[in-house]
Amino acid sequence: MATSTLNWSKYCFLSTCGISVLLLAALNFYDIRGLKVIRWMSNFTADIYFENKSHSLKFNHSMDKFMVDRNNITTTVQPTEEERTKTVVLVYTVFFGTVKWIGDRDNCGFENKFLFASNKCLSGDFELIYDKQRFEESDLVVFHARNMPSVDHLRTLLKSRPTSQRWVYALWESPNVTPDPAPLNGLFNSTWTFRSDSDFLSPYGSYEELSEEEKVEKMKNIPDYSQGKTELVAWMVGNCGAQPRMAFVQNLKKYIKVDIFGGCSGKRCSNPPTDCLKKFKFYLSFENALCEDYITEKYWGRLGEDINVVPIVMGGANYSKLAIPGSYINVMDFKTVKQFAEYLQYLDKNNTAYNEYFKWRLKYKVFRSNLDLSLCQICKWYVSRYPLQPKVYDDLAAHWVGKGRCNVKNSLITSMWEE
């Protein structure tokens, strides 16, 4: 960051600088972190944010006056794109025991829709580190929410936290299983999650349109995907807790056969699982929580040509917005479980209708089907928003849990039971 002397006279809009400081306190000015910095105490340092600049001011309080040490007034300004040399990203926590859990820049630029940022990400402008000794020189500090340090530890870090440094709240599980984020209010400036309102976005999967050459090649050989399919519906599940999906499957089994594999059934799939799944026509890609934008590998991981199944989805996300068009069947498009079961029976007898669910492969392709976290995902969003505006999550619980809208759609599922 560039440092220069602040022209204090610009901000001394009354007869003395001391009176100006009193007014600033009354206006509750915030620094770039969003934390209140004007306090009524003696001998303190305050960071004040003016016009996209953050100033570190040293004050001495004596009786009823504020004396400003003009020799210790500095301003920290975000450098321009040309001035910025390197952005340092510190990964502060582990990821469920894994220390180095963010990939470096090897696959930068692989997401074509974000090629606008790929040159910056490939040129060495970003550095990924895990060394906590370099905390004070880091521009971004990433904390995995499930491995979050104690609040006391975080507040200790605040004492040495540079004014321009941004803390990133990272998480890819549903808000239903998230540790209460309320104690973290006012500490974080950015989020890195699967949700589309994240500051840094990393969904579980993504797709893109085929090139014209790829489309021509695909049209040369269009297989009948019903061939070799001897079974109807499969489901692999290990989380057996009381959830709408468990009750839904129990009701579905009243009408059609459903083969369940995993810890909830005691029935094991072969290794690799593709060997037993590829004989099924459909796969239940049911999420364990119905939350906003929460589409995991349960859907993305079942789109491959190694098994050629049609995913049947149940989730809280808007699939028409986030999933590949024409690639899935949504149980919420049906009024009852019986009606849904009858539709699967219809597809089982009509190969032409069944093959319609694979036509998306003539237009689109999956280029990520699992959670592959990398520095590039941070870089592309960071570059597109630079220079960054001041931001802080004063109510992280309202943002993550409240806007997560988990369980809102549960009633849509339970209303499908028939007595």
Side-chain angles (χ1 to χ4, degrees), residues 105-157:
R105 60 176 59 83
D106 291 344
N107 57 355
C108 282
F110 74 104
E111 299 182 16
N112 290 348
K113 66 179 72 175
F114 297 114
L115 282 180
F116 66 86
S118 63
N119 289 337
K120 287 287 183 183
C121 298
L122 286 168
S123 64
D125 289 350
F126 281 71
E127 181 182 6
L128 182 68
I129 64 172
Y130 293 85
D131 184 2
K132 295 179 183 179
Q133 298 299 316
R134 298 178 61 184
F135 173 79
E136 293 186 31
E137 68 177 276
S138 301
D139 298 282
L140 296 173
V141 183
V142 180
F143 299 84
H144 181 226
R146 292 299 298 271
N147 300 101
M148 189 69 67
S150 68
V151 175
D152 288 342
H153 182 86
L154 293 175
R155 297 204 178 278
T156 299
L157 285 179

Side-chain angles (χ1 to χ4, degrees), residues 115-344:
L115 282 180
F116 66 86
S118 63
N119 289 337
K120 287 287 183 183
C121 298
L122 286 168
S123 64
D125 289 350
F126 281 71
E127 181 182 6
L128 182 68
I129 64 172
Y130 293 85
D131 184 2
K132 295 179 183 179
Q133 298 299 316
R134 298 178 61 184
F135 173 79
E136 293 186 31
E137 68 177 276
S138 301
D139 298 282
L140 296 173
V141 183
V142 180
F143 299 84
H144 181 226
R146 292 299 298 271
N147 300 101
M148 189 69 67
S150 68
V151 175
D152 288 342
H153 182 86
L154 293 175
R155 297 204 178 278
T156 299
L157 285 179
L158 285 177
K159 298 176 183 179
S160 58
R161 179 183 184 179
T163 304
S164 60
Q165 186 182 86
R166 295 203 167 206
W167 287 8
V168 182
Y169 179 83
L171 185 62
W172 288 272
E173 294 183 80
S174 79
N176 276 355
V177 295
T178 301
D180 182 14
L184 307 176
N185 290 348
L187 294 177
F188 286 85
N189 318 98
S190 305
T191 58
W192 184 19
T193 78
F194 57 82
R195 234 165 60 188
S196 56
D197 62 355
S198 299
D199 298 288
F200 305 127
L201 175 63
S202 289
Y204 277 81
S206 303
Y207 71 98
E208 66 181 4
E209 188 168 352
L210 296 174
S211 66
E212 292 303 317
E213 293 77 11
E214 289 173 318
K215 290 178 182 178
V216 171
E217 192 64 30
K218 284 284 186 179
M219 290 297 295
K220 292 180 180 179
N221 181 26
I222 303 177
D224 178 0
Y225 292 99
S226 67
Q227 293 298 308
K229 301 290 187 179
T230 58
E231 303 292 340
L232 193 60
V233 181
W235 188 31
M236 296 182 67
V237 58
N239 185 342
C240 316
Q243 302 160 3
R245 64 179 186 175
M246 300 299 293
F248 183 94
V249 173
Q250 292 305 314
N251 279 274
L252 182 61
K253 290 172 67 176
K254 296 177 182 178
Y255 305 102
I256 59 176
K257 181 184 177 184
V258 179
D259 286 275
I260 303 176
F261 302 92
C264 298
S265 69
K267 187 177 180 181
R268 299 295 175 183
C269 214
S270 57
N271 191 16
T274 53
D275 288 346
C276 70
L277 294 181
K278 61 186 180 182
K279 64 184 178 182
F280 290 89
K281 285 189 172 181
F282 306 97
Y283 182 85
L284 301 183
S285 298
F286 289 0
E287 302 297 346
N288 57 24
L290 310 187
C291 303
E292 192 76 14
D293 293 349
Y294 190 55
I295 305 178
T296 70
E297 77 289 340
K298 296 175 181 62
Y299 163 75
W300 292 107
R302 297 297 177 235
L303 296 171
E305 297 184 10
D306 52 346
I307 54 176
N308 291 324
V309 295
V310 176
I312 298 171
V313 301
M314 177 193 293
N318 183 345
Y319 284 86
S320 62
K321 175 183 176 183
L322 301 175
I324 303 176
S327 68
Y328 61 89
I329 301 171
N330 193 337
V331 300
M332 294 187 190
D333 290 337
F334 301 85
K335 292 183 178 180
T336 66
V337 174
K338 181 180 179 182
Q339 184 187 72
F340 168 70
E342 290 173 344
Y343 182 67
L344 294 188

Side-chain angles (χ1 to χ4, degrees), residues 46-76:
D47 296 322
I48 303 177
Y49 185 80
F50 292 105
E51 300 180 0
N52 205 33
K53 299 177 181 179
S54 184
H55 309 292
S56 180
L57 308 181
K58 190 170 290 185
F59 299 96
N60 292 309
H61 178 215
S62 175
M63 297 299 289
D64 60 344
K65 294 182 179 180
F66 277 92
M67 303 300 295
V68 179
D69 182 356
R70 295 172 184 266
N71 295 322
N72 285 290
I73 301 175
T74 59
T75 175
T76 302

